[in-house]
Every structure is written in structure tokens, then in C-alpha cells.
Amino acid sequence: MEIVEGRLPEDRAWRALVLLAPGANLGVSWQLGLSLSRANKGEIVFAIILPEGDQNAVPSSQKTLHQARIACEPKDSVYTVVVQAKQYHKAAAKLAKEADIDLLVTSAETPGWKSLGRMPCAVAIVRGQSLSPVSEGEQTSGPPVRSGSIQNILVPTSGGPNSAHALSFLVPLTEEGVGVTALYVAAEYRGQNELALGKSRLRQTLNFIDAQQAIEQKLISSESAMVGIVNEALGIYDLVIIGATRESSLDKTLFGNLPEAVVNQSRIPVVVVREPSGAVPTILSQARWATQSIRLNIVQRTEAYVRIRRGARPSIDFYVLIGLAAAIAALGLLANSAAVVIGAMLVAPLMSPIAGSGLAIVLGDTRFLRLTFGAILWGALLALLMGFLVGLIPLRDPLTPEVLARTQPTLLDVGVAILSGMAVAYALCRSSATAALPGVAIAAALVPPLAVAGISLANGFFAEFGGALLLFLTNFVAISSASALVFILLGFRPTQSKKKRQAIRDRTIQIAVVFLVLISALVAFTTYRLTQETTEEERIEAVAEAGVNQVVGATMAEITIGDLESSTLNLNLEVRSPVEIPHERVVSLQEYIGTELQREVAITLMVIRTTELDPFAPPPPTATPLATITPLPTPETATVNNVFGVTMRTEPNSEADLVTFLDQGDEVYLMEEITPSDEGVWQLVEYKGLTGWVLVDDLDPQ
């Protein structure tokens, strides 16, 4: 694309692009574009696109653009440009993008209009006879035309998003004295139910675009929608504007039965308006229409805005409550009291400015944005200072479980913050839902992470300080971004004429998304690291428990794992055992765990002596010792004296449960337990890490 003559505007403003043909009458496209630019206090660009290398049409193009300019008033902001390009639609799309166009207007008589199927802005195509800026006496050729400006516009609607989009462009015209009528044609054969439905759909459509008072509603009955619109268009109207469906192609829409019938029978121009094409505009438009049931009207949005802005304003009360909430949270954290921490969450008013920042982003209100960010920054610093002061209280271990729980944020915290932001935005806008705000404040937990950061900083735990600060930033970014999304769905937005605010909104939304992605990436990394640590700790616990069961013959009660990053892994094991555990077994256990984990291990074993009693199987009665049995002395060891070998059994009198055979001279450790039986007295012994029972007669005390 090459600009042969003229230039494009560079600043931010509402802007219409009118595509003209060389030597053609200016007509309705000129009048409509100019009227809309005036109503939106914006600018208008008149452009002619010529085939590449076509120099013959340049003079006539210059003449046409000169006529368009002089027909405007001196106060109008007008730009003219002549462009040469290979492809008409690509040049039009590039013009619309570079000039930041909101609405492209052209006539069906302009060459190349059929190729305007995919444009980054809304498109309005004019069909039928034209209103001309020149008087009828000055016209030299062509069909008779009307002179003068547009005074009355008819917009047929079935209550769908397409006509709502077309009507939204016309709302500013009503402030300039132009009459706009939304028409619903009810089928006669459907009776009163159809009339009631039409009335409801008209009200729904006008509520969607905040034009209840600006646009007139009209409900008529007719044998068909086509006949009703054609008959109504025979009245006082200068234009009929129809919203095009997104699914149909532009030429099919323009040459459909309804526009054709209106053009042929009413003899007034018909304008077909279609929304911007592209995936993002389509998705946003569909989302706005799908959520219209929860959208707020202009009065409700105004009340919500005043309420949120008042709550986000920093004041003495705000800072006093922040300081008290942070102090309460810090004391509750040091006391390891979840109830006290929850109470601090209810006192803290930090949620209001964070939700207010989301509303300021959506509205593109820089002053409101600075107000909320200032309140958040100073409130966070005050909470951090209070946590630091409370953290100076001398304690043996300030890192209580409640403190540690807020030093390692995970993706679950991101999800909670996003949902909390959505909930607080909805509750602040709906007076009937304000009872949910305390619950949202508890879920979001904004002040406790700042108190944890202060406590950690006061005691020199810098890693925990960074983790707690990351948790607060995660909550702040996620809540602000999620609340902004809800505010958009509830209908908050800058007016279409405030392009600078729209630019600020788009830029701040992009920044918020970038920060949300970065924060999520950091939290995802910490989540991955925590997952790895948890997996490693579970593996260590499993190996230690297996070693305690197999090597020591005891039951694991509790395990404390030291620093996983240390060269030597320190384990504190607490086990339950009915017998005393020799030191040699502890050494064997340490070797077993180290071999299984493939790293150096140092263990400390604490043994809890236990007695196992089964109420359904009481122990056998104690037998009276035989007179011929001489009790063994209490040596620590004994040797086997039976030359034929000795069977060591798991239980006395258990011939089937053989454990091992002992040869003469084998040394065994004697335990304290003995059990008399018919065979003799059984002694509990330990041999090479195994525990079993042997007859006293087969042993020789040392």
C-alpha cells in the first residue's frame, strides 16, 4: 500500500473511515460518517483506494476528496488520503489498523466493497439512494436524491447481538437531536404472546447498550417481518440500519431478501452494519452477550463505581485498620493460632483497593489507578512494618507451622486468589451479595503473608521472607486481574468516544496479564520444587519404615527428616518395640537406609517400649516352675551345647514355624523373657539379627 496524497491521523480519538470512489457523489456514507464523528467528538478520514499504478484516476480522486472536505464545517477534524494498492481489502484493512478506525463506512456503489469481509473494525455498507451534501438544484446526473442531514433512523431488531451492536453506534447521535427507533415486528398469527416477547426483547437490547431513554421503542404486528419493516420504513425515516450476522458472508447479507425489499419498496437507503471480524473480537462480543443476564444497568454501575471508589480511598481509618490487622495476624502467627489469623483477615480493609485497581484498569482511569495503587503500596508497607516489629519479640522458634504455611505459595494459591477476586468484584457490585465479603476476605488472606514477611525479615529468615512476599504478590495480581474480568462482564467500560481511556485500558490489561503469567510461572516453579521434595520425603519415609520393620523388628511411630540438600541426611526415628533394641541393630538399620537411598545417612533412634495385649486372646496362665528346673543366671550371652543342633522357633511349642538351626558353640544373646511349657522352659534369644525361642536345656550360660 502506498499513500499517494494526504496523511493519516496519529493521535487517539474516535474515528470513522469513509471509503469513496473517484467522481462519485458523497451520499449517505459521507453523511453518516460525518454525523457519527461529530456525535463522538472524534475525527473522520475520507479515503480513495486506487489500483496500483493507476495515475489517471488520481485527479478525479483529489477532486472528490476536496468536495468531501469543503462540505464539512471548519470545526470538523477531517483527514483525506489517496492510496494505491494491489488488493483493495488489504489496503482497507491496513488503513483501518494504522488510523485506529472504529467504523468503516462505504457505499455498495464503491468498487471493492464486496471484499471487505474481514476487517479489524466495524463495517457499515450503504445501499440504495443517497442523501447528498449538495442541493437538488446542483445535481447534474444520477437518480433524484434527498438533501439535508440525517434526522430519523429505523433499526429493526429481533433482540439479538447484531442489532444491539448497530444500535450502540447510534446512541451518540441521539444527543445531537437525531431520532433513533428500535423496531420489533411481531408475527400476527402468534397473538399477544409474541407482542409480550417483543417488548421484553426490546427492553433487553436497550438495557444491553444503556440506551433505555435515548432510543425509542416501537412494537408492531405484521404478517411477516419483511412486510412490517417495509411498511414502517415508508414513514419519516431517512435510513434503515440492519445488524448483520457474524456467520454470513458480507455480500450474502447485503443482498439478502430483507435489505433488498426495503431498498426496492421504501426508496430510502439501507445500511448493513457488521461487528469487527477476528477471533478475539468475536469471543469478547459473544461473552458480553452471553452474560447479559448479570450485566448491570447504567444506574447500578454508577452506584457500584461510587461505592468501590469510596472504599478504595486511603484514609486514617484505612491505615489504622491495616496496622491493627497486621499486628493481630503477626501475634496469631507466632502463637500458631489459626483462629486469630482469621480474625485479622476480617479486620484488614486491603481487599477494597485491590478490587478497585481492577475497576480502574477496566475503565482506563489513570487517576483512580494511582489512587488504588498508592493505597495498596502504603498499606502493604505498613503491614510489613507491623509484622517486623512483632517479629522482634524474642522467641526460641518464630517459624511456627502457621508461619511456614505462608512461605511457599503454590498454584492452588493462584486458583484461590483468582476465584476470590471474581467473588469480591461481584459482591461489591451487587448490594444483595455484600454478605459474602467477609468470607472472601478470609479466602484471599492478604495481610497474613505480609505479617509473615515482616516476622521472617526480623529474624533473618530471608528465604521465608521472599516466599511470603511472593504469596502476597500472587494474591494481589490474581485478585486484581480476576476482578477486572468480572467488571468487564458486568458491563463496565469506557465510552466509545474516550479512545485514550480505551488505550490505557488495553495497555494496563496487557501489563496485568504479563504479570499474572510471570507470577504463575514463579509459583509453578515453587510448586514443582515442593512436589519433588514431597516425593523424596515419601520415599525416605517408606525406606525407613521398611528398615525399622525388617532390620530392627519394631514399628515406626514418627520420623523427622533433616535438610534434603545437606550432604549427610539426618533422620530422627521414633519406634515402638516390645523388647530392647541392641546398638548393633541400629548400626545395621543406618547401613540399610543409606544403601537403599544411595547417600550418606545419620540416624537417631528413640525406642518406646510397648506391651501388646489382645482382649480376644489373653496370655496363657503362668505355670509353676518345676522343682527340677534351675533358673538360668542372667548372663548376656549363652552358647549352644546340644551336639545335634538346636531349632530356634518363632513361638514356643511351634514345630511348623522353623526359623533356623543353631550348631553347637553358636553364641546367642539372651532376652529377658522365658516361658515354661510341657517340653521345658523356653528362652527368648537373638541370633544374627533374628529373634526366636530356644529350650533352656539346649543352652549353656557363659
Side-chain angles (χ1 to χ4, degrees), residues 2-6 50 55 58 62 81-84:
E2 179 185 0
I3 297 179
V4 177
E5 182 178 324
L50 301 176
Q55 299 298 327
V58 173
Q62 294 172 337
V81 62
V82 179
V83 173
Q84 289 185 336

Side-chain angles (χ1 to χ4, degrees), residues 325-341:
I328 294 171
L331 292 173
L333 291 165
L334 292 179
N336 199 35
S337 173
V340 176
V341 176

